[in-house]
């Protein structure tokens, strides 16, 4: 098919696709950021210069820049060639030398960072150092979110605004190699059967579309202003057998709530359930998380006890996350959410109550119409019944639910953005959870710096475009 220049195309162009940042400009901008200096100091404390032996040819600052460039360009080899070409390294070296004048590896004539030196850096760092780097990046992300207005709820606790909603998801990073510990092959040099090279931390993961992926699981948490590409990535944490996705999600949400108390809801998939839902309620965070389908089970219709509405005793039932009452025909009619209230316990935690209204016109006793009732949403302390498995403040699949829960697609966008910057076929560039976590942290730094640049540009443009104030 040939293109006809005389016909106007009907392809829809996504809003904000032009809001992108040049690779070279972003790297130059990142060097000047305080968080870059903080990360170099962390690396210097973890990898001090050796008193004996051959002196280093590459400093921690230049290796950190190469790590970030690899995340931006999608390959360490591509990043190293990018920095070497067109005399870019000399410009980077001068800029780095202004910030780190005492680094002997940044003097005139210093070579550009190499792939082997970056791999040595990754091998030298232990997981405790990577965790400290992750904490520094999270602190910078919270400061950025506060600056651009995230974590401020101008709505209600039941219907929070977009700026007050956290979104997150799990992401499985495919292993660099497709081999598992069970794969073996013949070594032609020795004649022995050996285990194939594989990722020691990889496991089998099941994705949302029921695909099995051999790789390392992580979890990420973020928030967005609603403007194209203005998305702050708060944390990227590894998921292990002793610390599953739900535990990591609640811990990250608690940290976000501690720094920015205005966050009022969390949108996640059904990986969070049971008592982890109660932990979110205790944080005063509304779980925008679907309820598992219990069709055909004895808990499909979960009794919520008897309540009094307009002087009449009514038996409430939870069905697919909605608070319902039986109709005259025996069906269940969802009640309309009105209000959400938190009442602190005497020791710790919250007692969470939702106020629900009986819709007018449903097939029930007309005396119940427009009546309201308060229903407990989180579990009682001394009870084996977990309300988080059965009931939500908003009725799932309703218009109000869909409007808020639809923001969870932002986390899928972040996952796609991360995977697009990995190796071929969306595979990791490193072996082992520690190194992969370090690669993801470089991507987190890139994502947040892009948000910082675009927000600053937008605010500047809007200030110039604003009309003059009246005298």
């Amino acid at each position: 098919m040939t293109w006809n220049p005389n016909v106007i195309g009907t392809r829809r162009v996504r809003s904000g696709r032009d809001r992108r940042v040049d690779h070279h400009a972003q790297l130059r901008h990142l060097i000047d950021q305080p968080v870059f200096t903080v990360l170099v100091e962390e690396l210097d404390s973890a990898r001090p210069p050796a008193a004996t032996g051959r002196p280093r040819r590459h400093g921690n600052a230049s290796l950190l820049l190469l790590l970030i460039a690899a995340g931006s360009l999608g390959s360490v080899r591509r990043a190293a060639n990018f920095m070497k070409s067109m005399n870019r390294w000399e410009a980077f070296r001068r800029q780095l030398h202004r910030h780190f004048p005492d680094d002997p590896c940044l003097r005139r004539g210093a070579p550009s960072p190499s792939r082997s030196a970056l791999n040595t850096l990754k091998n030298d760092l232990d997981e405790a150092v990577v965790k400290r780097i992750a904490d520094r990046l999270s602190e910078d992300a919270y400061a950025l979110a506060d600056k651009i207005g995230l974590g401020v709820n101008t709505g209600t606790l039941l219907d929070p605004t977009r700026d007050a909603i956290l979104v997150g998801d799990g992401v499985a990073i495919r292993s660099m190699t497709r081999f598992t510990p069970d794969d073996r092959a013949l070594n032609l040099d020795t004649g022995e059967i050996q285990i194939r090279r594989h990722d020691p931390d990889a496991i089998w993961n099941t994705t949302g579309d029921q695909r099995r992926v051999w790789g390392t699981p992580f979890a990420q948490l973020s928030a967005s202003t609603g403007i194209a590409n203005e998305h702050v990535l708060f944390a990227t944490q590894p998921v292990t057998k002793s610390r599953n996705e739900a535990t990591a999600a609640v811990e990250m949400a608690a940290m976000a709530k501690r720094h920015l108390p205005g966050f009022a809801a969390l949108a996640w998939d059904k990986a969070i359930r049971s008592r982890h839902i109660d932990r979110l309620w205790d944080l005063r965070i509304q779980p925008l998380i679907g309820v598992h389908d219990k069709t055909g089970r004895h808990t499909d219709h979960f009794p919520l006890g008897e309540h009094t509405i307009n002087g009449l005793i009514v038996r409430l039932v939870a069905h697919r996350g909605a608070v319902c009452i039986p109709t005259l025909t025996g069906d269940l009619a969802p009640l309309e959410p009105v209000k959400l209230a938190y009442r602190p316990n005497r020791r710790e935690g919250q007692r969470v109550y939702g106020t629900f209204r009986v819709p007018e016109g449903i097939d029930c006793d007309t005396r119940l119409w427009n009546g309201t009732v308060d229903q407990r949403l989180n579990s009682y302390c001394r009870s084996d019944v977990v309300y988080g498995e059965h009931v939500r403040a908003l009725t799932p699949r309703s218009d109000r639910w869909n409007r808020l829960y639809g923001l969870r697609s932002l986390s899928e966008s972040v996952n796609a953005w991360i995977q697009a910057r990995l190796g071929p076929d969306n595979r990791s560039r490193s072996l082992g959870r520690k190194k992969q976590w370090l690669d993801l942290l470089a991507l987190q730094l890139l994502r947040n710096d892009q948000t910082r640049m675009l927000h600053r540009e937008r605010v500047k443009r809007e200030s110039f475009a604003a009309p003059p104030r009246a005298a």
Side-chain angles (χ1 to χ4, degrees):
M1 179 181 293
T2 59
W3 175 63
N4 187 353
N6 298 321
V7 177
I8 299 177
T10 59
R11 180 182 177 185
R12 182 174 65 90
V13 180
R14 288 178 57 187
S15 175
R17 288 297 287 263
D18 56 334
R19 301 195 75 213
R20 299 179 181 179
V21 178
D22 177 71
H23 298 297
H24 185 269
Q26 185 171 13
L27 292 176
R28 297 294 298 270
H29 181 266
L30 257 172
I31 295 174
D32 294 332
Q33 299 308 307
V35 64
F36 187 88
T37 303
V38 171
L39 295 182
V40 173
E41 292 174 352
E42 285 288 347
L43 293 176
D44 287 340
S45 62
R47 300 177 71 239
T52 59
R54 181 185 301 176
R56 291 176 181 167
R57 301 181 69 236
H58 309 289
N60 292 320
S62 59
L63 294 178
L64 176 61
L65 185 64
L66 179 61
L67 176 67
I68 298 171
S72 178
L73 297 169
S75 166
V76 180
R77 183 191 300 272
R78 196 177 302 148
N81 293 335
F82 173 82
M83 297 178 70
K84 287 180 182 178
S85 62
M86 301 178 64
N87 205 29
R88 290 192 183 97
W89 167 242
E90 180 60 22
F92 287 134
R93 185 200 64 77
R94 291 180 180 180
Q95 188 176 1
L96 289 171
H97 184 66
R98 287 197 297 269
H99 290 280
F100 309 100
D102 297 331
D103 190 345
C105 298
L106 294 175
R107 294 170 183 170
R108 181 177 301 178
S112 61
S114 64
R115 297 166 55 201
S116 59
L118 179 58
N119 191 50
T120 301
L121 169 70
K122 292 182 178 180
N123 290 330
D124 291 344
L125 301 180
D126 57 24
E127 197 155 341
V129 177
V130 180
K131 186 179 184 306
R132 289 203 301 269
I133 293 175
D135 293 340
R136 297 294 181 268
L137 288 178
S138 294
E139 292 172 2
D140 178 70
Y142 296 130
L144 173 61
D146 184 49
K147 184 177 181 180
I148 67 178
L150 291 177
V152 178
N153 185 16
T154 56
T156 64
L157 293 177
L158 183 63
D159 288 308
T161 52
R162 184 191 188 112
D163 295 340
I165 298 178
L166 295 165
V167 295
D169 196 10
V171 54
I173 305 301
R174 296 187 66 185
S175 172
M176 178 191 291
T177 68
R178 61 184 176 86
F179 301 112
T180 69
D182 298 330
D183 293 319
R184 287 168 170 76
L186 174 65
N187 188 329
L188 297 179
D189 294 333
T190 62
E192 297 178 352
I193 301 296
Q194 295 182 351
I195 299 177
R196 300 295 298 261
R197 184 169 179 252
H198 64 278
D199 193 328
D201 297 319
I203 59 174
W204 283 110
N205 302 268
T206 303
T207 62
D209 54 358
Q210 301 304 311
R211 291 184 299 107
R212 295 190 73 203
V213 175
W214 175 255
T216 310
F218 290 86
Q220 50 88 6
L221 183 73
S222 61
S224 173
T225 62
I227 308 298
N229 290 335
E230 292 188 13
H231 202 121
V232 178
L233 188 54
F234 293 122
T236 304
Q237 297 288 336
V239 174
T240 61
K241 293 182 179 179
S242 59
R243 185 172 178 268
N244 59 19
E245 182 179 328
T247 301
V250 173
E251 290 177 358
M252 291 188 295
M255 186 63 67
K257 186 74 173 182
R258 191 175 304 121
H259 284 83
L260 298 171
F263 279 117
L266 169 65
W268 205 284
D269 59 18
K270 296 178 183 179
I272 303 179
R273 59 185 300 183
S274 188
R275 292 292 181 183
H276 289 98
I277 299 292
D278 290 334
R279 293 182 61 189
L280 290 177
W281 281 125
D282 288 337
L283 296 172
R284 298 175 68 94
I285 293 179
Q286 179 187 170
L288 297 174
I289 300 166
V291 174
H292 281 261
D293 186 11
K294 297 176 175 59
T295 304
R297 303 180 184 180
H298 70 282
T299 55
D300 185 24
H301 296 68
F302 183 76
L304 297 176
E306 294 183 344
H307 294 70
T308 302
I309 304 177
N310 291 344
L312 302 177
I313 297 178
V314 180
R315 179 173 53 88
L316 298 186
V317 178
H319 179 57
R320 297 181 180 177
V323 177
C324 308
I325 61 171
T327 63
L328 298 178
T329 59
D331 297 329
L332 294 177
L335 303 186
E336 179 185 356
V338 176
K339 187 178 67 172
L340 183 64
Y342 294 94
R343 302 171 188 174
N345 288 327
R346 182 175 301 176
R347 293 184 177 179
E348 60 179 359
Q350 306 286 328
R351 287 171 290 135
V352 187
Y353 291 90
T355 301
F356 298 87
R357 178 188 295 119
V358 180
E360 184 175 347
I362 66 173
D363 187 14
C364 68
D365 193 326
T366 57
R367 291 174 294 177
L368 297 176
W369 288 358
N370 295 319
T372 60
V373 60
D374 290 341
Q375 170 59 45
R376 178 84 175 240
L377 298 178
N378 65 331
S379 307
Y380 293 92
C381 296
R382 300 180 180 178
S383 175
D384 294 333
V385 177
V386 182
Y387 278 10
E389 281 288 293
H390 306 284
V391 65
R392 296 291 182 267
L394 293 174
T395 303
R397 294 174 294 278
S398 64
D399 292 340
R400 297 167 73 183
W401 171 274
N402 293 337
R403 178 175 57 83
L404 298 180
Y405 184 73
L407 297 177
R408 202 189 74 81
S409 61
L410 295 172
S411 63
E412 301 288 354
S413 299
V414 173
N415 285 351
W417 182 86
I418 290 174
Q419 292 173 345
R421 281 152 183 80
L422 297 176
D425 201 19
N426 294 338
R427 292 187 180 275
S428 171
R429 294 191 297 271
S430 306
L431 283 177
R433 180 174 54 244
K434 177 194 67 175
K435 297 180 183 180
Q436 293 169 9
W437 191 10
L438 195 61
D439 291 335
L440 292 181
L441 293 177
L443 294 179
Q444 178 183 342
L445 180 61
L446 276 170
R447 184 75 183 193
N448 292 344
D449 189 68
Q450 172 183 287
T451 299
R452 182 182 289 108
M453 296 178 69
L454 293 177
H455 179 266
R456 185 180 302 168
E457 176 189 352
R458 178 173 63 86
V459 171
K460 183 179 179 180
R461 183 175 64 251
E462 291 175 353
S463 63
F464 280 114
R469 295 182 180 179

